[in-house]
Amino acid sequence: MSKDKQKMTAMRWFYSYLNGYKWNMIIGMVLVTIASVLAIINPRITGYIVDDIIGDGSNIKIGLLPKFLILMLVVTLIRAVVRVAFQWLFESASQGMLYDMRDGVYRSLLQKDFAFYNKNRTGDLMSRQTGDMMAIRHFVSYVIFNIYESVLLFCIALFMIFSVDVRIAFAMIAALPITGLITYLQSKAIKPKFANVREKFSSLNAFAQENISGNRVVKAFAKEDYEIEKFQKENKGYRDSEIEATNVWVRYVPLFEFLSSTLVFILMILGGIMCIKGDMSLGDMIMINSYLWMLNNPLRMAGWIVNDVFRFSTSVDKIYSTISEVPDIMTPRYPEDVMRITGGVEFKNVSYSLHDDAILKDINFKVEAGQTVGIIGATGSGKSTIMNLICRFFDPTDGAVLVEGIEKVHREDGTEDEKLVTDINVKNIDLHTLRDGIGMAMQDVFLFSDTIEGNIAYGQPDCPFERVEWAAKVANADEFIRQMPDGYDTIVGERGVGLSGGQRQRISLARALLKSPSIIILDDTTSAVDMETEEHIQNALHSLENKETVFIIAHRISSIKDADIILVLDRGRIVEMGNHDELVDMKGYYYTVFTHQYGEFNSTGR
């Protein structure tokens, strides 16, 4: 997509949110028009007072003066009320639109796949929701009506000056071409500067977020000075980009100020000469002088408005370019009518490559619902990738991942029934339905800044406490939770700071179990717990009533030796498959690992 086309699309996206507040904008514009028209009255009254009430001083109509002064006061008050009203309308529209836009962008970010987050930094995405959003809000609440009001006031003032004296009006118009040229030059110079400002701001945000999140690593390696030096470099880059943008403004805004002041100079010279010659009355000159602010103000505001407009357009482009990326992993347009998955899984000739690097090669296996599958292999052999393909976090490059599920059957008499269907490609299932049937305790445990109960109940927030307690007991977490100051109501720090690795793993396991899923995936979930705790967890999993399909990725033989099927991976291929006894008899990779962990005697004697 070309830059111009993308910009047009980005603006249509912006208008789609603004359209929800069109009546605020329309009524606001009407009120701006009324306020601008009312601005005509007081200068006209001022001219009338000077010429017709005061005159040359010989026949002052003192009785009319209070009436006109009261009229001017009333007009001023009405204008003030109207201005407050339209500013409230625009501010209300901006806040409402900002709320809707933030919600829409956040929803869009939640729909993105793993590939999107692999290439976009958290700090960059946060800056879209903060600084860029505020630039858009400012444009709606202030810049839109300011542009309209400035143009309207300028045209009205010019028309009124024409009605008083054409010669003065043409002299004022002489400044317009110069103003237009300066505005154009400023817009050309400022656009790349603001784009650079947004880039540097995003980079600074990303750096700060990353270092705050990784503060324990920084402290562990005593690298505070090193990180401060890096931050100063990022901070300096952002400061320099802001200064560069400001320098553009500094060069051009004084020119607008000079042009606006030139109008006063023109009036004083030409108007003064014409008054002396008797070609213009003093009241007319004062009236024109009163209209001058309506000409001056737009000229003074031109530089500011150009700045704000390009801050806005740059921010819209940045946000839209982020959310408009179409994820590779999406719910199909016409998904199969699957109510839920049941646990059966089959890999048929599955291969997966990333950037021409083969991660999995020709993977074939079939798992019946209710079976336990152990997966073991060296680091980087593709164990976690198999689980990611089942959850459809990625799609295979070749082959198919199949599951079995329950589909609705619509009968001719209007009734519905259910039937078990096998060989359903995960690509053809609604993503929410697929993932809702899977409980996953990930290798990299993430806990939210919430209570322990809230973290465990994340998959079912409205479940009764008894279910949370049950899941914690199965995961052998109930005992240590009750020993904490507030028990299940204890607030865990960001990412579970304050809990040990084993405690975080057990809470993560409880969270996965609480969903009562058809498939449970345990990705090295017991690596940080002792052998006794691991045995307790394994026994509890075997005693589950619903008999879910369980995938266990582990490095310990003890975690998978009782599995119905054990897959041994090496360099993306399944090199061995079978149960514990069969794999030991093969005297291959599995046997070697078993020997190292249990010793030669145990390996031969089982």
Side-chain angles (χ1 to χ4, degrees):
M1 184 184 293
S2 68
K3 287 185 177 181
D4 290 340
K5 190 174 181 181
Q6 181 175 337
K7 188 175 183 65
M8 288 177 63
T9 308
M11 285 302 162
R12 281 198 296 269
W13 169 79
F14 162 72
Y15 289 132
S16 69
Y17 283 99
L18 189 61
N19 190 53
Y21 299 89
K22 62 182 179 183
W23 285 111
N24 285 57
M25 307 301 291
I26 291 171
I27 296 171
M29 289 298 191
V30 170
L31 293 179
V32 170
T33 305
I34 292 171
S36 299
V37 172
L38 287 173
I40 299 172
I41 299 174
N42 282 354
R44 184 63 88 173
I45 293 174
T46 302
Y48 180 79
I49 289 173
V50 171
D51 281 347
D52 297 324
I53 295 179
I54 298 175
D56 58 3
S58 61
N59 187 25
I60 299 177
K61 301 173 184 177
I62 196 67
L64 294 176
L65 187 59
K67 296 178 181 179
F68 280 102
L69 292 178
I70 291 172
L71 178 59
M72 291 177 70
L73 181 61
V74 170
V75 170
T76 302
L77 289 174
I78 293 173
R79 246 190 119 239
V81 171
V82 171
R83 285 192 66 84
V84 169
F86 75 66
Q87 286 178 340
W88 181 86
L89 285 168
F90 280 99
E91 183 63 34
S92 177
S94 73
Q95 293 294 347
M97 190 206 68
L98 183 66
Y99 174 85
D100 295 340
M101 186 177 286
R102 273 204 178 122
D103 185 67
V105 171
Y106 184 71
R107 288 172 183 271
S108 174
L109 292 176
L110 288 181
Q111 301 302 318
K112 302 302 183 186
D113 54 19
F114 278 22
F116 173 84
Y117 288 101
N118 287 342
K119 64 183 179 182
N120 286 283
R121 296 181 297 179
T122 303
D124 287 340
L125 300 178
M126 290 299 297
S127 71
R128 304 288 174 268
Q129 289 280 53
T130 52
D132 288 316
M133 288 285 186
M134 290 309 296
I136 294 173
R137 188 206 66 79
H138 175 70
F139 179 80
V140 175
S141 68
Y142 177 76
V143 180
I144 289 178
F145 84 75
N146 218 293
I147 293 173
Y148 177 67
E149 185 181 42
S150 294
V151 172
L152 198 58
L153 286 175
F154 191 90
C155 293
I156 289 173
L158 209 54
F159 174 79
M160 295 307 296
I161 294 172
F162 263 108
S163 69
V164 175
D165 192 282
V166 175
R167 293 165 294 181
I168 295 289
F170 275 117
M172 298 294 179
I173 290 176
L176 284 181
I178 303 174
T179 304
L181 176 62
I182 295 173
T183 302
Y184 172 76
L185 293 175
Q186 184 187 6
S187 65
K188 294 288 286 184
I190 202 67
K191 185 176 181 180
K193 302 300 182 184
F194 279 143
N196 187 43
V197 167
R198 300 314 308 163
E199 286 291 343
K200 294 298 183 181
F201 179 71
S202 294
S203 180
L204 181 65
N205 252 14
F207 182 86
Q209 184 274 332
E210 187 178 71
N211 276 269
I212 292 170
S213 298
N215 69 89
R216 292 194 168 199
V217 176
V218 174
K219 292 182 182 299
F221 284 84
K223 299 296 288 183
E224 290 89 347
D225 292 341
Y226 173 70
E227 293 299 332
I228 289 171
E229 185 178 338
K230 286 169 62 180
F231 179 79
Q232 288 174 340
K233 184 178 179 181
E234 291 285 340
N235 199 17
K236 182 178 182 298
Y238 175 59
R239 182 198 65 185
D240 291 346
S241 68
E242 284 281 14
I243 290 174
E244 287 177 6
T246 302
N247 284 339
V248 174
W249 174 80
V250 167
R251 284 200 303 270
Y252 288 98
V253 169
L255 295 178
F256 290 112
E257 291 283 347
F258 173 76
L259 287 173
S260 65
S261 300
T262 301
L263 298 182
V264 178
F265 179 76
I266 292 171
L267 178 62
M268 292 298 105
I269 295 295
L270 291 181
I273 293 172
M274 292 170 69
C275 283
I276 292 170
K277 290 183 175 181
D279 295 336
M280 178 190 291
S281 69
L282 183 60
D284 285 345
M285 182 174 175
I286 292 174
M287 188 191 309
I288 292 174
N289 187 59
S290 299
Y291 286 129
L292 265 189
W293 73 267
M294 297 169 67
L295 292 178
N296 285 341
N297 198 56
L299 292 178
R300 287 196 178 98
M301 292 297 296
W304 298 90
I305 288 174
V306 169
N307 273 17
D308 288 340
V309 166
F310 279 98
R311 281 187 186 272
F312 155 76
S313 63
T314 301
S315 294
V316 170
D317 287 343
K318 296 292 286 185
I319 295 175
Y320 183 75
S321 65
T322 300
I323 66 166
S324 62
E325 292 186 34
V326 179
D328 297 324
I329 309 300
M330 298 175 65
T331 290
R333 187 171 183 180
Y334 302 106
E336 294 195 27
D337 198 8
V338 178
M339 298 172 61
R340 63 184 182 277
I341 61 173
T342 57
V345 177
E346 182 177 4
F347 273 54
K348 276 190 175 181
N349 306 317
V350 171
S351 297
Y352 176 72
S353 299
L354 181 64
H355 306 309
D356 297 326
D357 183 16
I359 310 298
L360 294 176
K361 306 168 189 173
D362 198 28
I363 301 296
N364 289 276
F365 68 86
K366 186 172 184 178
V367 180
E368 301 295 335
Q371 286 188 315
T372 298
V373 182
I375 304 178
I376 193 171
T379 301
S381 59
K383 303 185 296 296
S384 296
T385 303
I386 288 179
M387 300 302 99
N388 289 334
L389 294 178
I390 294 175
C391 298
R392 207 181 165 218
F393 294 142
F394 304 102
D395 279 335
T397 310
D398 294 299
V401 179
L402 309 174
V403 295
E404 67 178 31
I406 302 295
E407 279 191 357
K408 284 183 181 179
V409 177
H410 303 278
R411 301 188 182 279
E412 292 181 0
D413 60 2
T415 61
E416 293 183 350
D417 200 357
E418 300 179 359
K419 71 172 182 178
L420 178 67
V421 180
T422 58
D423 299 337
I424 306 172
N425 195 317
V426 294
K427 291 183 179 180
N428 299 328
I429 304 177
D430 177 85
L431 279 178
H432 179 79
T433 302
L434 173 66
R435 293 171 184 171
D436 193 50
I438 300 173
M440 190 172 190
M442 297 185 179
Q443 186 176 16
D444 180 20
V445 178
F446 183 94
L447 298 181
F448 294 93
S449 298
D450 194 0
T451 63
I452 292 177
E453 180 185 358
N455 272 285
I456 295 175
Y458 182 73
Q460 293 183 355
D462 299 326
C463 72
F465 174 74
E466 288 74 21
R467 285 284 297 166
V468 176
E469 189 178 35
W470 167 83
K473 286 179 178 178
V474 174
N476 198 31
D478 180 69
E479 184 178 350
F480 84 77
I481 292 173
R482 292 191 179 280
Q483 292 174 356
M484 302 192 78
D486 298 313
Y488 281 85
D489 292 325
T490 301
I491 300 289
V492 299
E494 187 177 0
R495 298 185 67 91
V497 172
L499 299 175
S500 69
Q503 289 172 334
R504 289 199 298 271
Q505 284 188 336
R506 281 177 277 174
I507 291 175
S508 175
L509 174 59
R511 179 169 60 190
L513 294 171
L514 184 72
K515 290 177 65 179
S516 295
S518 301
I519 298 173
I520 297 176
I521 296 174
L522 309 179
D523 191 350
D524 214 10
T525 308
T526 57
S527 61
V529 301
D530 55 68
M531 299 292 287
E532 183 180 352
T533 301
E534 181 188 34
E535 184 177 0
H536 177 94
I537 293 172
Q538 295 297 334
N539 292 336
L541 288 173
H542 288 309
S543 66
L544 292 176
E545 294 179 1
N546 296 331
K547 206 55 186 166
E548 294 90 345
T549 302
V550 181
F551 287 87
I552 303 174
I553 298 175
H555 290 93
R556 292 178 184 171
I557 295 293
S558 59
S559 298
I560 60 172
K561 64 184 181 63
D562 296 324
D564 300 300
I565 303 171
I566 299 173
L567 307 178
V568 181
L569 268 66
D570 183 37
R571 298 179 184 178
R573 295 183 183 274
I574 297 177
V575 294
E576 298 172 27
M577 185 191 313
N579 60 34
H580 173 74
D581 291 335
E582 291 170 346
L583 293 177
V584 170
D585 289 338
M586 288 181 187
K587 303 288 185 180
Y589 178 88
Y590 184 87
Y591 172 79
T592 302
V593 175
F594 184 57
T595 302
H596 287 162
Q597 293 185 10
Y598 285 86
E600 183 67 29
F601 175 79
N602 284 328
S603 68
T604 55
R606 306 288 195 272

